[in-house]
Amino acid sequence: MTNDQTQWILAPTEQPPDWFIQAVKQYTPASSGLYAAQLLWQRGIQDNQQLAAFVNYHTYQPASPFEFGEEMRLAVARLQKTRNAGEKVAIWGDFDADGITSTAVLWDGLGQFFEQHSQLTYYIPNRLRESHGLNNPGIENLAKQGFKLIVTCDTGSTNINEIIYARQLGIDVIVTDHHTLPAERPPVTAIINPRYLPSVHPLFHLSGVAVAYKLIEALYQTLPNVPQDPLENLLDLVAVGLIADLVQLKGDCRYLAQLGIQRLQADFKQSPTARRRPGVGRLLELCQKSGDRPTDISFGLGPRINAVSRIQGDASFCVELLTSRDAKRCNQLAEVTELANTRRKSLQKDVQAQVAQKLTQLDLSTTSVIVLEDPQWPAGVLGLVAGQVAQETGRPTILLSTELAEEQSSRGAEAQRCRGAGEELLSLSHNSALSTQQRHLLQLWEPKQRSGSSALLLARGSARSINSVDLYQLVKDQAHLLHRFGGHPYAAGLSLPVENIPLFTQAINQQLRQSLGSTDLMPTVQVDLKVTVADLGKELFLELKLLEPCGMGNPVPKILIQNCWFENAWHRNQQDWQGKKVQYIKTDFDIRDESTKNPFPGVWWGHYKDELPIGKSDCIAELDYNSYKKRYEIRLIAVRPSANSELNQQHSTQILDWRNQEYSALSTQYSPLILEECPTSWDNLRAWWRRALYNNQQLVLAWSQPHLQLPQEIWLTLVGIAKYLSRTHQTVTRVQLLDKLGISNQSLFLGIKALKYWGFTVKTQDNYLEISYDSQTTSANLADAAVTQFLAAVSEEQFQQQYFAEVPLSTIVAIVNKPLPF
């Protein structure tokens, strides 16, 4: 279901003229072309020349790399000089998908002009230890190795101090980047950044990988007799970076993505041993994609490349994965990448649950920018979770995690402030109780102070925006409170002294409120077309495919289907490539309406089948082709009961929602049935509902948001209790264990089973449990499997509790009234 506050907005519809519909039909001979024409017209494609250039890349005239002007000429001249002098060149990349593909493009491209490894190297900062951009220790290391030129990609525009430091060490810098520019040109040999161009220029929206490609294109044109490999061999990498990054696919961006997807697909069709990029091919196989769709990148390759730095920090091997011709080595690296993505999903889910808990303590009616912080959050997944929160709440979202950073000379003022914050915490610890967060920060700070080294108490994190808000400008206006920041209007990274978080939160909220005036922020979903179930299928898919590749500025078309209903719904936990369970779900279903007797398949990621409304509904979806199942299907985006559906209104007044609230003042004609314990299944909730109906009572949902421990901590607690009881020969009841651990009977059963494999003997005597220990009875293999089973059960149980704490009342009403199958 969508957030109850989500607005569904139908895009303005203007019937295109007949001549335009006929022009579009030339590209969709199997259908009328009406829907594609309507969408293209809506999106500003309104003459034959625009249409031809948009749909058919053969008719598009790409811009010359030398439209970057003097900066491109300076960059090429310096590279020529470096090549002639036999100097060494270092590529300085970035750790996200755009940065990794940018580095790979320069590695392969510059590798045509410089000997790889001996003359040419690359460096990618560690996401968990370093930040985006240049840094002094890395520059020093390159200087010691004799490098005379650094070429950045997807980074470097605002690294003024580091660029100056490189020059002092005798290293020139060429910046290729697409992020926001500094107020003045940095002191570099050349800076190639499309933001210097007019906003209407076809190169303006290039991502980092596309800017890097333009530099290589300029070198190919200047020294045409040197390269051995065709320039076009780089285009598949360009497509991956472009589509994975948040850039508008217009002008040359769209052209390069179209060419790149074709090369990506052509290479995938080769046998694994004949592929030019076996690593890319293996990644596509692991995510069950074929490389012919932009979504194969946005939902397949992109997240996997990004996951490596999010989980491991060091993503350098991804460049080898994308560029090596060694199929065996690439298979190994692809599997490491897939495993990182699996871990990323689990980690992201954990942080999402914790963020959801914190959101319940915020008054969103008075919050314009969501700023949340937790010392335990892993920094690698904060951007992903922030993006989801921003989309669901309709508000820019900033998530922060605390860290300890060594003081450097360029951080003097921040270091002074942070030392003051640490000393203040130390003083408080002697006089009063500290909060959990303060205690964590003090534990980070004190050892450094004892050792005599200077340290910064920093909060570092990620920010994501909504379409109407320039997040980068919002963050930039608070630069006096920050340690570092960078990014673009839709996404940013930042760090700031921990003591500045309250002031930063207040200031950025006040600034956005003032700029919005009376405008309310709320989540929205825009609908492009209204269709029926009869319209769904191959013909409509091929029409909508004319708009691909989709992205910023040209989103995937969203279709509205009204007065439909769902059948044959079932859900399951998705499994990873090794067959292990991953804690997210997917519901499959058939959708129907009155337009046809034939159902149409669909999927709903991250939702249970019971969340589908009963009776007639309206839904927003995207039409897709599942290359793994070889079928056309819809991907559900949002769903709600139809306005005229009486079934969903039937018992709405019988259930009162007092979750996470005080209900002592509740007054009602009848004595209500109050459910205070959070259910863990729909069957459990239905039983309470039937009881309320039988007694003619209102059912009051009065459970609170669960305060959950990590499953591993629960297991350690159980082991600790078992050791204590074994040592003291005391007993415990099952109810006492359930209360202490906060788990169900079923999970406790699995926990006791695991204890037995660990060498504990558990006996029941008069409703009491007696636990003893014998190390001779342990079974390591069985113990590990049993613990894994226990942890999985607890995780699933907690997932259900979190779900029932947040599921909308409308969903509960619909599901408890759903007739049960015989």
Side-chain angles (χ1 to χ4, degrees):
M1 304 284 279
T2 53
N3 184 319
D4 290 337
Q5 302 298 317
T6 301
Q7 284 189 326
W8 291 16
I9 301 173
L10 184 61
T13 56
E14 180 183 350
Q15 183 72 12
D18 288 342
W19 66 264
F20 188 77
I21 296 173
Q22 293 304 313
V24 172
K25 184 172 171 54
Q26 296 177 21
Y27 299 100
T28 61
S31 64
S32 68
L34 177 60
Y35 286 126
Q38 186 176 327
L39 280 171
L40 290 164
W41 191 265
Q42 282 175 9
R43 298 183 181 187
I45 310 298
Q46 298 185 352
D47 63 45
N48 280 318
Q49 186 176 357
Q50 285 180 310
L51 177 64
F54 187 88
V55 174
N56 183 4
Y57 64 84
H58 291 294
T59 65
Y60 181 82
Q61 183 60 46
S64 164
F66 289 99
E67 291 200 27
F68 282 104
E70 184 64 18
E71 298 290 351
M72 183 63 81
R73 285 186 280 274
L74 288 170
V76 170
R78 183 63 179 90
L79 285 165
Q80 282 183 282
K81 177 184 174 184
T82 302
R83 184 171 185 273
N84 294 337
E87 293 176 339
K88 297 167 72 173
V89 183
I91 303 162
W92 191 295
D94 196 25
F95 41 68
D96 64 7
D98 191 25
I100 293 291
T101 52
S102 301
T103 308
V105 162
L106 290 182
W107 179 247
D108 272 0
L110 291 178
Q112 298 294 306
F113 302 89
F114 300 90
E115 188 70 30
Q116 290 178 338
H117 302 293
S118 61
Q119 258 190 301
L120 184 67
T121 192
Y122 58 84
Y123 179 78
I124 294 174
N126 185 301
R127 185 177 202 138
L128 303 182
R129 295 203 307 265
E130 302 169 83
S131 183
H132 295 275
L134 297 163
N135 61 64
N136 288 357
I139 293 171
E140 287 176 10
N141 187 40
L142 292 174
K144 290 175 183 176
Q145 297 178 57
F147 285 89
K148 296 299 181 183
L149 177 64
I150 292 175
V151 180
T152 77
C153 50
D154 194 37
T155 194
S157 291
T158 57
N159 293 137
I160 308 299
N161 292 334
E162 291 80 4
I163 290 166
I164 293 172
Y165 185 65
R167 289 181 63 182
Q168 291 171 352
L169 298 181
I171 301 177
D172 288 339
V173 178
I174 296 173
V175 169
T176 74
D177 193 11
H178 71 120
H179 292 99
T180 304
L181 297 168
E184 297 180 3
R185 182 186 184 278
V188 292
T189 298
I191 176 169
I192 305 168
N193 189 320
R195 289 184 176 270
Y196 281 116
L197 300 170
S199 61
V200 295
H201 196 284
L203 298 177
F204 181 78
H205 294 292
L206 295 187
S207 72
V209 69
V211 178
Y213 174 81
K214 283 295 181 182
L215 174 61
I216 301 302
E217 184 181 17
L219 269 178
Y220 266 68
Q221 292 180 9
T222 305
L223 301 170
N225 298 323
V226 175
Q228 300 297 307
D229 291 344
L231 177 66
E232 292 74 20
N233 281 0
L234 302 174
L235 287 169
D236 47 1
L237 297 177
V238 175
V240 172
L242 271 169
I243 293 171
D245 207 47
L246 291 172
V247 296
Q248 294 197 27
L249 293 180
K250 295 182 176 180
D252 274 48
C253 288
R254 178 176 176 82
Y255 169 75
L256 292 171
Q258 286 171 314
L259 288 172
I261 289 172
Q262 285 214 342
R263 297 192 76 84
L264 192 67
Q265 183 184 16
D267 194 48
F268 182 76
K269 287 180 177 179
Q270 302 292 322
S271 67
T273 55
R275 288 172 183 159
R276 214 169 21 84
R277 299 200 188 277
V280 175
R282 180 57 181 151
L283 274 185
L284 286 169
E285 289 172 350
L286 288 170
C287 59
Q288 298 177 347
K289 306 290 184 183
S290 59
D292 64 328
R293 303 287 312 287
T295 49
D296 294 354
I297 295 171
S298 53
F299 295 133
L301 297 177
R304 282 160 174 78
I305 296 170
N306 279 322
V308 175
S309 63
R310 296 184 191 281
I311 299 302
Q312 299 182 190
D314 183 4
S316 299
F317 77 77
C318 288
V319 178
E320 183 182 0
L321 171 66
L322 298 182
T323 59
S324 173
R325 305 299 189 260
D326 184 339
K328 184 177 179 180
R329 172 65 174 160
C330 285
N331 285 346
Q332 294 171 345
L333 296 178
E335 291 182 359
V336 173
T337 302
E338 186 69 15
L339 182 60
N341 192 49
T342 299
R343 290 175 178 165
R344 185 270 305 168
K345 290 175 185 175
S346 179
L347 206 57
Q348 183 179 343
K349 180 179 174 294
D350 291 342
V351 175
Q352 280 174 312
Q354 294 169 37
V355 169
Q357 169 66 28
K358 288 179 180 286
L359 282 174
T360 62
Q361 301 164 17
L362 275 185
D363 182 359
L364 289 182
S365 66
T366 61
T367 303
S368 300
V369 181
I370 295 170
V371 182
L372 298 174
E373 179 269 333
D374 192 287
Q376 303 297 333
W377 284 342
V381 298
L382 293 186
L384 296 172
V385 180
Q388 290 180 311
V389 174
Q391 186 177 11
E392 291 169 3
T393 62
R395 288 160 173 75
T397 300
I398 302 172
L399 301 181
L400 301 165
S401 176
T402 52
E403 66 172 12
L404 195 69
E406 294 297 329
E407 179 187 344
Q408 294 178 6
S409 58
S410 61
R411 298 174 175 175
E414 289 87 349
Q416 201 66 42
R417 287 198 297 270
C418 293
R419 280 197 299 274
E423 288 160 3
E424 182 181 349
L425 286 175
L426 189 60
S427 173
L428 284 172
S429 70
H430 297 313
N431 301 307
S432 60
L434 296 177
S435 68
T436 302
Q437 175 186 335
Q438 288 173 325
R439 191 175 298 110
H440 173 80
L441 295 177
L442 187 60
Q443 288 171 349
L444 286 175
W445 182 80
E446 261 194 300
K448 289 288 183 182
Q449 294 304 110
R450 293 195 195 99
S451 67
S453 62
S454 299
L456 300 170
L457 291 175
L458 288 178
R460 183 163 73 98
S462 297
R464 295 293 183 269
S465 190
I466 53 177
N467 287 339
S468 58
V469 177
D470 185 339
L471 180 64
Y472 179 83
Q473 190 59 47
L474 269 181
V475 173
K476 182 181 178 183
D477 288 345
Q478 312 307 323
H480 59 288
L481 298 173
L482 303 177
H483 173 60
R484 295 185 74 172
F485 71 96
H488 48 74
Y490 302 107
L494 69 159
S495 61
L496 71 163
V498 170
E499 65 171 1
N500 287 356
I501 294 176
L503 187 57
F504 172 77
T505 303
Q506 181 182 0
I508 201 169
N509 269 274
Q510 182 177 0
Q511 182 186 349
L512 183 56
R513 276 196 296 270
Q514 290 174 348
S515 64
L516 290 173
S518 59
T519 305
D520 289 330
L521 287 171
M522 61 177 58
T524 60
V525 182
Q526 179 162 308
V527 178
D528 297 292
L529 297 169
K530 286 198 288 186
V531 302
T532 66
V533 173
D535 295 320
L536 302 175
K538 182 178 180 179
E539 288 185 12
L540 180 58
F541 174 80
L542 292 177
E543 275 199 44
L544 301 185
K545 198 171 186 293
L546 280 182
L547 279 81
E548 292 185 355
C550 295
M552 298 291 294
N554 179 40
V556 176
K558 290 182 173 55
I559 55 179
L560 172 66
I561 307 169
Q562 295 178 299
N563 296 314
C564 60
W565 61 92
F566 302 95
E567 296 178 350
N568 303 323
W570 63 285
H571 63 244
R572 61 191 173 93
N573 280 332
Q574 280 300 105
Q575 294 182 322
D576 66 13
W577 61 286
Q578 293 177 321
K580 297 178 181 177
K581 278 192 176 180
V582 178
Q583 295 173 2
Y584 68 101
I585 48 178
K586 168 191 166 191
T587 291
D588 287 84
F589 58 83
D590 289 332
I591 186 171
R592 304 185 71 133
D593 68 5
E594 301 289 353
S595 68
T596 177
K597 294 181 179 180
N598 300 319
F600 193 81
V603 295
W604 198 13
W605 290 94
H607 293 269
Y608 286 105
K609 64 182 178 66
D610 299 311
E611 294 179 65
L612 291 170
I614 309 304
K616 291 191 174 180
S617 309
D618 300 334
C619 73
I620 299 173
E622 296 173 358
L623 183 58
D624 199 10
Y625 178 72
N626 187 324
S627 57
Y628 181 66
K629 292 186 176 180
K630 309 294 183 187
R631 74 176 191 183
Y632 297 94
E633 63 187 20
I634 62 167
R635 185 165 59 245
L636 198 58
I637 303 298
V639 61
R640 64 188 183 190
S642 295
N644 59 355
S645 176
E646 295 180 5
L647 178 62
N648 293 287
Q649 309 296 325
Q650 189 175 1
H651 293 291
S652 61
T653 59
Q654 296 292 326
I655 300 180
L656 300 180
D657 189 359
W658 288 81
R659 289 172 294 175
N660 308 305
Q661 300 180 48
E662 294 290 334
Y663 58 88
S664 56
L666 177 66
S667 62
T668 179
Q669 183 179 351
Y670 307 102
S671 175
L673 181 61
I674 298 174
L675 178 54
E676 294 182 292
E677 186 173 340
C678 183
T680 56
S681 71
W682 284 110
D683 288 341
N684 180 266
L685 187 52
R686 283 194 187 99
W688 280 86
W689 174 232
R690 285 195 293 270
R691 179 179 164 188
L693 286 176
Y694 182 81
N695 295 316
N696 196 26
Q697 292 175 292
Q698 289 179 318
L699 179 62
V700 178
L701 312 181
W703 58 82
S704 298
Q705 189 83 15
H707 300 286
L708 304 173
Q709 279 186 291
L710 291 173
Q712 293 87 345
E713 293 176 358
I714 294 174
W715 166 248
L716 292 176
T717 301
L718 177 58
V719 173
I721 291 172
K723 288 180 177 179
Y724 174 80
L725 295 176
S726 174
R727 187 172 65 252
T728 61
H729 304 292
Q730 296 186 37
T731 58
V732 67
T733 67
R734 184 177 293 271
V735 171
Q736 287 173 325
L737 274 180
L738 292 173
D739 288 343
K740 178 66 177 177
L741 300 174
I743 58 177
S744 68
N745 255 313
Q746 178 62 25
S747 293
L748 180 58
F749 170 80
L750 294 173
I752 291 173
K753 179 181 173 183
L755 285 176
K756 291 178 179 178
Y757 289 125
W758 271 55
F760 291 95
T761 300
V762 183
K763 296 180 180 179
T764 304
Q765 174 106 14
D766 297 328
N767 293 325
Y768 286 87
L769 299 178
E770 296 178 349
I771 301 178
S772 58
Y773 180 72
D774 181 3
S775 60
Q776 301 300 315
T777 63
T778 59
S779 175
N781 292 336
L782 293 174
D784 288 342
V787 172
T788 299
Q789 189 178 12
F790 169 77
L791 295 176
V794 174
S795 295
E796 178 62 24
E797 184 176 302
Q798 291 183 343
F799 182 85
Q800 294 274 9
Q801 288 178 319
Q802 193 71 41
Y803 169 79
F804 279 107
E806 301 167 355
V807 62
L809 179 62
S810 57
T811 302
I812 293 175
V813 170
I815 289 174
V816 297
N817 286 295
K818 182 177 182 179
L820 295 173
F822 293 105

